[in-house]
Amino acid sequence: MQKSEEGLFVYWSVNQRLTHIVLFSAVIISVITGIPMKYYRLDFGMRFFQLFDSYIAVRMIHNAAGFLILTALLYHIGSIIYVWMRTEQFRKVIYMKFTKNDIKDFANYILFLFFLKKKPKFGKYSFFEKLDYYISFILLALLAITGLIQAFPIIATALISISWLLISVKLHSSLSVLFIVYVLFSHMFNTHYHPGRLYLNTVWLFGTLSEDEMKKMHYLEYMRVLKRDVDLREEYKKKA
Amino acid sequence: MINNIFSKHAVLAAILVAGLLCAFAAPSYSKDVDDCILCHRHEGLRVTGADGNVRSFYVDYEHYKGSIHGSANCRRCHTSVTEVPHKKRYKKVNCGVVCHLKSIALKRSFSHSKIYDTFMTSSHGATNEDAPGCLNCHPQNLDKRGAKKSRLEILVECSKCHIDDKTMSKYDIFPGIVQSYENSLHSKVFFLENSSGAICTDCHSTHNILTKDEKTSPMNERNLYKTCAGKEAAVAGCHMATNPDFVYSFNHERVKEAGVATAFKVESTINFVIIALFYFLSIVNIIRIIRE
């Protein structure tokens, strides 16, 4: 992470932002088309399909969005591997790695909720955000796999038994709702509705955080960046 | 003068045409040759049966003439009514009788006997009181001309009986038939894509309905591929170029299989988790809002 010349902290790269935008757009499309497909017997489901006049068309849009999600997931893994191999610095500091500190933070946070301790200070990603990331990833991966099986039932049944086809139908349908509830109530809360935030969170769009926001939400990372800048400056001075 | 002659001829011609029309048209309307309407046109012709139900024997002749069977005389179908006035007891109409109207298309006497014979050898042909007769599914044929049941009406018709667990268990038929259909993708496509998803009769055929164990049943293992992915099915846009295993994917009794049973359990577990998660996160978020 870096501090830019305007005093803003670069939190996300262009690549990360693009992946995130593609991912959530595809997720929103597949939710809009998927929920009426799941609840098509209910009034709003029926009305949705009257609006579109075609189930097959809606299903095609849903499938296309699903492929986009799958692509985004694969691209994300690919870019991690790429960066891993290219930059040494990345291998040293993997922000998303779960550490012992996260467990400590978690315990301390619970104590904080019960007025027993001060709020723990977080790095670039708090344990909340790490959990959101991994759980969303796993759920999306499961949805993508079960969705693929349904999108190509004939190929799928040549490879796996028919009961797996039916199991994946059930899993896809119920996990999707789990995913929606999780994203709305955990991820959106942690990053967007969080009462501690000073400003509207625009990291997903501009990729930057202000200094006071950094201090408040990501204190450890803020300190690390400042210290590194000081170190670099000293190093530079020594060389000069 | 010219006018006068012309009008005279016109009147003559009109009378002639009208007469011809009457002469040729009348038979095709099937005059009441059997004299049945004489009595049966009275709306009051009704009898209270032993069970207390009122049965009306009123026949709306105008309506009857406009119906698909309007050109068949009463006695063609009611063969057991031999003299007029007739006896009280009579046999039920047999839809398989040969009707002596010449079918224009077939150039021979028309009859439903082929369907009738197929039907009588099918599962529904059983002579028990719960099995359907022709009229269960075709009441409209004594009604409007050419009225066809919509696909939804056919689906509802089959479901009416097969949803009834008590009757179905009498014949050792799996009770979850209709529910399993409703859970299937066929039903979803049916409801959402202009009734194009397969309904009962698309798979089971209309009159040759048999158990899957019967060799000639379309649902027999050996015929399954032909039914779902054969030539006719392909024309209807069903499962083209499918792998042979795929045709076994629909089965009303899937819920009995271990894998699918676990799938249902997993689904209800996840549903429980969703509700629990909803409440848990809501409460945690409220506490966090208070504290932060």
Side-chain angles (χ1 to χ4, degrees):
Chain A
M1 219 162 131
Q2 273 168 343
K3 194 175 171 186
S4 72
E5 276 159 22
E6 297 96 38
L8 293 173
F9 287 76
V10 182
Y11 195 84
W12 266 10
S13 67
V14 177
N15 186 32
Q16 284 170 315
R17 275 180 274 154
L18 268 181
T19 316
H20 182 249
I21 287 172
V22 168
L23 186 69
F24 80 67
S25 311
V27 164
I28 288 171
I29 294 171
S30 48
V31 168
I32 289 172
T33 50
I35 287 293
M37 281 203 275
K38 179 174 165 76
Y39 298 108
Y40 72 99
R41 275 174 215 284
L42 301 188
D43 193 44
F44 77 89
M46 280 279 181
R47 254 186 239 172
F48 180 86
F49 285 103
Q50 275 161 14
L51 207 70
F52 270 85
D53 206 35
S54 172
Y55 167 64
I56 303 292
V58 172
R59 202 170 65 183
M60 258 157 64
I61 298 171
H62 186 81
N63 287 4
F67 281 117
L68 212 55
I69 292 175
L70 183 66
T71 317
L73 292 186
L74 292 177
Y75 175 76
H76 183 60
I77 295 172
S79 63
I80 288 173
I81 293 172
Y82 178 79
V83 178
W84 177 279
M85 300 215 292
R86 290 294 292 270
T87 39
E88 201 192 327
Q89 205 210 336
F90 180 81
R91 267 169 277 172
K92 263 195 250 155
V93 194
I94 301 172
Y95 288 113
M96 267 301 170
K97 208 161 83 178
F98 259 117
T99 59
K100 272 185 208 149
N101 255 346
D102 288 316
I103 299 168
K104 244 188 252 164
D105 282 351
F106 178 68
N108 285 341
Y109 193 85
I110 291 173
L111 292 176
F112 157 71
L113 287 184
F114 291 106
F115 300 90
L116 295 172
K117 257 206 170 132
K118 261 189 165 174
K119 193 181 157 190
K121 303 237 178 296
F122 300 123
K124 181 169 179 182
Y125 297 119
S126 67
F127 68 88
F128 281 121
E129 285 157 329
K130 286 181 190 174
L131 264 183
D132 285 356
Y133 172 81
Y134 286 110
I135 290 179
S136 306
F137 191 95
I138 291 167
L139 283 180
L140 279 179
L142 281 175
L143 286 171
I145 294 166
T146 51
L148 262 186
I149 292 173
Q150 285 178 76
F152 300 108
I154 292 167
I155 298 171
T157 46
L159 301 171
I160 55 175
S161 80
I162 280 155
S163 40
W164 277 106
L165 176 66
L166 299 166
I167 289 169
S168 65
V169 171
K170 291 277 157 216
L171 272 180
H172 192 85
S173 156
S174 48
L175 283 181
S176 60
V177 179
L178 184 68
F179 176 76
I180 293 167
V181 169
Y182 190 82
V183 166
L184 284 183
F185 283 81
S186 184
H187 171 61
M188 292 299 276
F189 183 86
N190 286 329
T191 48
H192 296 280
Y193 316 139
H194 195 285
R197 291 214 179 256
L198 300 168
Y199 311 109
L200 203 66
N201 190 344
T202 50
V203 165
W204 65 274
L205 196 55
F206 302 120
T208 53
L209 276 181
S210 63
E211 186 154 359
D212 42 356
E213 188 91 76
M214 276 301 285
K215 244 193 256 175
K216 186 140 194 257
M217 302 300 293
H218 309 282
Y219 185 74
L220 299 180
E221 179 66 11
Y222 172 72
M223 292 308 284
R224 204 181 67 83
V225 173
L226 287 194
K227 188 166 164 290
R228 193 188 56 199
D229 282 3
V230 171
D231 287 351
L232 282 176
R233 230 171 280 148
E234 267 165 19
E235 219 171 273
Y236 183 75
K237 263 187 215 157
K238 262 183 219 159
K239 267 187 201 160
Chain B
M1 183 67 188
I2 292 169
N3 255 350
N4 214 356
I5 290 170
F6 186 73
S7 64
K8 232 186 219 166
H9 280 262
V11 170
L12 271 175
I15 291 169
L16 207 68
V17 167
L20 277 174
L21 269 180
C22 288
F24 287 107
S28 72
Y29 278 150
S30 111
K31 223 171 63 195
D32 182 18
V33 287
D34 300 329
D35 285 339
C36 312
I37 288 305
L38 199 69
C39 300
H40 282 280
R41 66 162 181 241
H42 296 294
E43 286 190 45
L45 191 59
R46 50 168 82 103
V47 165
T48 312
D51 51 356
N53 287 339
V54 178
R55 291 175 65 202
S56 167
F57 299 129
Y58 163 64
V59 174
D60 183 343
Y61 194 52
E62 290 303 314
H63 191 83
Y64 163 75
K65 277 193 307 193
S67 83
I68 192 113
H69 286 120
S71 50
N73 295 333
C74 310
R75 280 213 315 231
R76 291 270 187 259
C77 294
H78 294 281
T79 46
S80 58
V81 181
T82 43
E83 77 267 315
V84 176
H86 53 81
K87 288 200 289 281
K88 271 189 185 181
R89 290 278 129 240
Y90 90 116
K91 277 204 233 115
K92 283 219 157 227
V93 170
N94 175 343
C95 296
V97 292
V98 175
C99 170
H100 291 284
L101 289 172
K102 287 269 191 280
S103 153
I104 302 163
L106 299 171
K107 297 245 166 49
R108 59 179 159 79
S109 292
F110 186 81
S111 135
H112 291 309
S113 62
K114 222 168 144 194
I115 290 176
Y116 183 81
D117 292 343
T118 322
F119 181 78
M120 289 320 274
T121 51
S122 79
S123 284
H124 282 160
T127 45
N128 58 52
E129 80 263 38
D130 296 317
C134 309
L135 281 185
N136 274 68
C137 302
H138 296 296
Q140 82 285 2
N141 279 12
L142 294 176
D143 199 1
K144 281 190 222 86
R145 176 176 282 272
K148 238 181 162 189
K149 275 205 164 177
S150 73
R151 285 167 65 77
L152 180 62
E153 282 170 328
I154 294 168
L155 181 61
V156 168
E157 196 62 52
C158 303
S159 305
K160 257 190 223 159
C161 295
H162 283 278
I163 208 166
D164 182 7
D165 293 356
K166 237 196 241 152
T167 343
M168 285 305 132
S169 56
K170 252 202 279 181
Y171 302 97
D172 204 18
I173 296 176
F174 181 61
I177 293 275
V178 177
Q179 202 195 2
S180 64
Y181 172 72
E182 283 178 350
N183 279 333
S184 76
L185 193 62
H186 291 106
S187 150
K188 199 179 233 181
V189 176
F190 174 80
F191 280 107
L192 299 180
E193 192 71 27
N194 302 327
S195 309
S196 65
I199 56 169
C200 320
T201 48
D202 292 330
C203 295
H204 289 282
S205 81
T206 45
H207 302 116
N208 188 27
I209 289 174
L210 290 162
T211 79
K212 60 178 180 293
D213 306 324
E214 206 81 38
K215 272 184 195 143
T216 50
S217 165
M219 291 297 106
N220 185 270
E221 274 197 15
R222 296 194 302 175
N223 304 332
L224 216 46
Y225 190 83
K226 213 173 109 205
T227 312
C228 307
K231 243 193 227 149
E232 274 175 48
V235 169
C238 299
H239 304 286
M240 290 167 277
T242 182
N243 70 337
D245 279 346
F246 182 68
V247 297
Y248 298 111
S249 68
F250 183 82
N251 182 333
H252 295 290
E253 300 172 35
R254 270 268 126 77
V255 276
K256 282 186 190 163
E257 284 168 26
V260 178
T262 29
F264 274 92
K265 262 183 225 147
V266 166
E267 192 192 24
S268 50
T269 315
I270 293 175
N271 285 345
F272 176 76
V273 169
I274 291 168
I275 294 166
L277 190 74
F278 175 81
Y279 284 113
F280 175 74
L281 288 178
S282 304
I283 291 167
V284 168
N285 286 354
I286 288 169
I287 296 174
R288 284 175 70 187
I289 289 170
I290 294 168
R291 283 295 283 132
E292 297 221 23

